[in-house]
Amino acid sequence: MHVIEVRNLLKRFDGIDAVNDISFEVEEGTIFGFLGPNGAGKTTTISILCTLLSPTSGSASIKGYDCVTNPTMVRRSIGIVFQDTTLDKDLTAYENLMFHAYLYDVKRSEIKSRVSDALRFVDLYERKDDLVKKFSGGMKRRLEVARSLTHRPSVLFLDEPTLGLDPQTRANLWEYIVDLPKKHNVTVFMTTHYMEEAEVCDRIAIIDKGRIIIAGTP
Ligand code: ATP
């Protein structure tokens, strides 16, 4: 089943076609890598899929929910880890995840177990009561991945999840990412500039100047 479908998507900013008539789909339970140089249109595409931007024309859907006409259902179906952290540094790891679970209306009786499970998945359970401002960059990124899982999204968007991390921390975070489809039943849509990360994806698409130039298996 295709959990993401993009058809003839176009986004024009002041005369620039940031995304220029692209079409692709992503199979459920896979890792999809979206590659391309700076300014190619990756963030614009993700922003449309996450309902943060509306397209100029064409369509995009998640689990069959149209990103323009059914944004509420799309938002319930997705998790997002963007480049800039949105964690509250003055709260503990546990409080950050609890807050997120409340925002997403997770059933009260399930909140604590979901938050604990997510923290265990990224090996931060022992540090759950530490303030986020005491965490390293790699720990924060792992915590963001954990947080994005607490409402059980079908699709997780990771925008350059390992950017700015040292090689060892990157490899460590990557171990959690490759486990996501199997362990959390989630489809991963990620952007990356690293070839070794692209190679682990089930499928990739390369975008340049708003157009998909190659799509297939790495
Ligand atoms: P990066 O790897 O640097 O994040 P990207 O592939 O994500 O790049 P986009 O951020 O999608 O690229 O940008 C695609 C093009 O659209 C660029 O030419 C950019 O300048 C332009 N663009 C993006 N957002 C806007 C905006 N809000 N207004 C005008 N132009 C924009």
Side-chain angles (χ1 to χ4, degrees), residues 111-180:
I111 288 186
K112 281 189 182 162
S113 64
R114 287 222 207 158
V115 166
S116 301
D117 287 350
L119 286 166
R120 281 195 193 94
F121 172 63
V122 295
D123 293 320
L124 284 174
Y125 187 77
E126 306 303 321
R127 305 292 300 269
K128 71 182 170 54
D129 297 321
D130 286 2
L131 293 178
V132 168
K133 63 179 159 204
K134 293 186 186 165
F135 279 11
S136 69
M139 289 162 77
K140 283 187 203 143
R141 216 58 73 82
R142 265 152 57 200
L143 187 62
E144 293 223 35
V145 171
R147 183 180 61 171
S148 70
L149 295 172
T150 51
H151 62 284
R152 300 226 170 115
S154 301
V155 179
L156 186 57
F157 289 94
L158 303 171
D159 195 7
E160 295 187 49
T162 61
L163 188 83
L165 302 178
D166 65 70
Q168 205 180 336
T169 310
R170 250 178 63 204
N172 168 271
L173 177 67
W174 192 247
E175 281 175 27
Y176 300 103
I177 294 175
V178 293
D179 274 349
L180 284 166

Side-chain angles (χ1 to χ4, degrees), residues 51 58-72 74:
T51 79
S59 68
S61 68
I62 309 275
K63 277 179 83 181
Y65 302 119
D66 188 276
C67 296
V68 175
T69 57
N70 210 342
T72 306
V74 170

Side-chain angles (χ1 to χ4, degrees), residues 188-208:
V188 176
F189 184 107
M190 63 173 300
T191 65
T192 180
H193 286 293
Y194 298 105
M195 282 307 139
E196 65 269 31
E197 294 181 359
E199 278 170 9
V200 186
C201 295
D202 297 295
R203 285 184 73 78
I204 57 164
I206 302 178
I207 184 169
D208 189 21

Side-chain angles (χ1 to χ4, degrees), residues 44-106:
T44 304
T45 306
I46 291 193
S47 301
I48 294 170
L49 284 166
C50 295
T51 79
L52 300 171
L53 264 183
S54 51
T56 305
S57 62
S59 68
S61 68
I62 309 275
K63 277 179 83 181
Y65 302 119
D66 188 276
C67 296
V68 175
T69 57
N70 210 342
T72 306
M73 287 311 292
V74 170
R75 286 178 201 153
R76 283 184 184 276
S77 309
I78 63 174
I80 310 175
V81 178
F82 275 167
Q83 288 169 18
D84 298 324
T85 176
T86 55
L87 294 165
D88 191 325
K89 296 183 189 66
D90 293 318
L91 295 181
T92 65
Y94 189 75
E95 286 165 346
N96 264 282
L97 269 58
M98 289 296 279
F99 183 59
H100 179 89
Y102 278 111
L103 274 184
Y104 272 85
D105 247 348
V106 174

Side-chain angles (χ1 to χ4, degrees), residues 11-14 16-19 34-47 53 83 159-160 191 193 207 210:
K11 179 68 186 180
R12 183 167 294 150
F13 293 114
D14 315 317
I16 297 172
D17 290 339
V19 171
F34 201 43
L35 284 76
N38 293 129
K42 302 180 299 292
T43 304
T44 304
T45 306
I46 291 193
S47 301
L53 264 183
Q83 288 169 18
D159 195 7
E160 295 187 49
T191 65
H193 286 293
I207 184 169

